[in-house]
Amino acid sequence: MSRVALVTGGTRGIGKAISLALKNAGYQVAANYFGNVEAAKKFTEETGIPAYRFDVSNFSECQAGVKVVAGDLGPIEIVVNNAGITRDAPLHKMSYEQWEQVIHTNLTSCFNMARSVIDTMRDMGFGRIVNIGSLNGQAGQYGQVNYAAAKSGIHGFTKALAQEGAAKGITVNAIAPGYVDTEMVLAVPAEVLKKIVAKIPAGRLGHAEDIARGVLFLVADDADFITGSTISINGGHHMY
Ligand code: CAA
């Protein structure tokens, strides 16, 4: 049987490309979503990949969601923590809610998901966890103290859990995408985005498929010696 993978935020943007790449490589894929019900419906119709609605910022919803997916497809062997939001504002204009939403959705979600699958992965002696960080967690970004803190936290989370998982066949890695042509990035004001793209040596925004390629590499069975690492996929924008 092919391995079971769960991708959070897996029906749109980078997550959609990851779900599809995993399916095309022969994995059994479950895509989580929360906000956009219409997009998830369309995604399942188009791809045949089942979509599961739960809020990754909520621990008990993650535990319940993982149970349902495992009941449908089998024990989850691969988790891609991709779900994320932005609530950009300079700190002097940022509300506590903007801070809290981003920290819980982007960072606490990694705990919620990993904690919900880790016991089974340890019992199986196999697991692959890939956390989607960000260039902006590595380098910082004006208007993103919340997002940069959460994404930077993901990189620390990855290295700590990698140490815990290594002896149990569980690898934990991160990918740090740069600016990718998803709805999230295209929401950045055009004149700001133009200045950002001018700083990318590759001369273009990334595509979601550029990130999915990295995930496929990290989840492979024979990637078992790669753990605690971060792969930057950013067109040379920032070399960490
Ligand atoms: N560095 C220094 N100063 C900057 C700046 C920057 N990068 N960006 C804006 N400023 C300055 C402006 O020049 C302006 O200065 P003055 O008042 O002296 O003219 C001041 O900050 C206010 O700028 P705005 O009028 O733009 O302020 P705002 O409150 O309306 O908007 C903002 C601020 C929401 C942060 C807006 O600048 C913005 O959206 N920036 C882009 C943030 C960004 O890159 N987000 C990434 C989203 S995609 C993503 O996160 C995915 C990923 O992982 C890569």
Side-chain angles (χ1 to χ4, degrees):
M1 276 296 271
S2 53
R3 294 202 182 276
V4 175
L6 173 59
V7 183
T8 68
T11 64
R12 294 198 295 140
I14 290 174
K16 179 179 179 183
I18 294 169
S19 297
L20 270 172
L22 288 167
K23 184 189 178 208
N24 292 337
Y27 294 91
Q28 293 188 76
V29 182
N32 150 267
Y33 72 100
F34 185 57
N36 195 329
V37 179
E38 269 312 302
K41 232 172 107 185
K42 193 161 160 252
F43 166 84
T44 298
E45 280 163 14
E46 269 175 27
T47 64
I49 298 171
Y52 295 83
R53 187 171 195 215
F54 55 89
D55 178 358
V56 292
S57 72
N58 181 304
F59 183 52
S60 50
E61 284 197 31
C62 289
Q63 287 190 304
V66 161
K67 234 183 197 169
V68 174
V69 172
D72 289 351
L73 304 181
I76 296 165
E77 294 158 299
I78 298 164
V79 170
V80 183
N81 283 313
N82 164 76
I85 58 170
T86 52
R87 296 288 182 268
D88 293 352
L91 183 70
H92 61 276
K93 293 185 190 169
M94 187 177 287
S95 66
Y96 179 75
E97 287 69 31
Q98 286 174 309
W99 166 263
E100 191 181 37
Q101 284 169 5
V102 169
I103 295 296
H104 286 322
T105 304
N106 297 11
L107 178 59
T108 308
S109 57
C110 292
F111 169 82
N112 292 343
M113 290 304 301
R115 185 67 190 87
S116 300
V117 297
I118 199 75
D119 293 335
T120 306
M121 285 182 175
R122 287 170 64 88
D123 289 347
M124 291 188 298
F126 181 88
R128 296 280 181 270
I129 297 175
V130 179
N131 301 316
I132 305 299
S134 170
L135 155 71
N136 294 349
Q138 297 169 316
Q141 167 62 40
Y142 186 101
Q144 287 200 308
V145 294
N146 50 4
Y147 187 88
K151 292 296 187 178
S152 183
I154 283 179
H155 294 298
F157 178 94
T158 298
K159 290 181 227 180
L161 187 56
Q163 293 184 27
E164 297 179 14
K168 295 281 182 188
I170 302 165
T171 69
V172 188
N173 292 287
I175 291 180
Y179 282 75
V180 175
D181 57 6
T182 58
E183 281 172 41
M184 178 187 275
V185 166
L186 298 176
V188 172
E191 69 285 1
V192 176
L193 192 56
K194 206 167 148 200
K195 282 188 202 154
I196 290 170
V197 175
K199 289 187 197 150
I200 305 175
R204 67 164 175 90
L205 291 173
H207 304 312
E209 292 73 20
D210 296 326
I211 312 306
R213 169 178 285 273
V215 173
L216 274 189
F217 173 73
L218 291 171
V219 302
D221 275 24
D222 58 5
D224 58 327
F225 203 59
I226 304 171
T227 197
S229 69
T230 297
I231 301 181
S232 295
I233 304 180
N234 62 27
H237 196 159
H238 178 69
M239 300 181 194
Y240 195 60

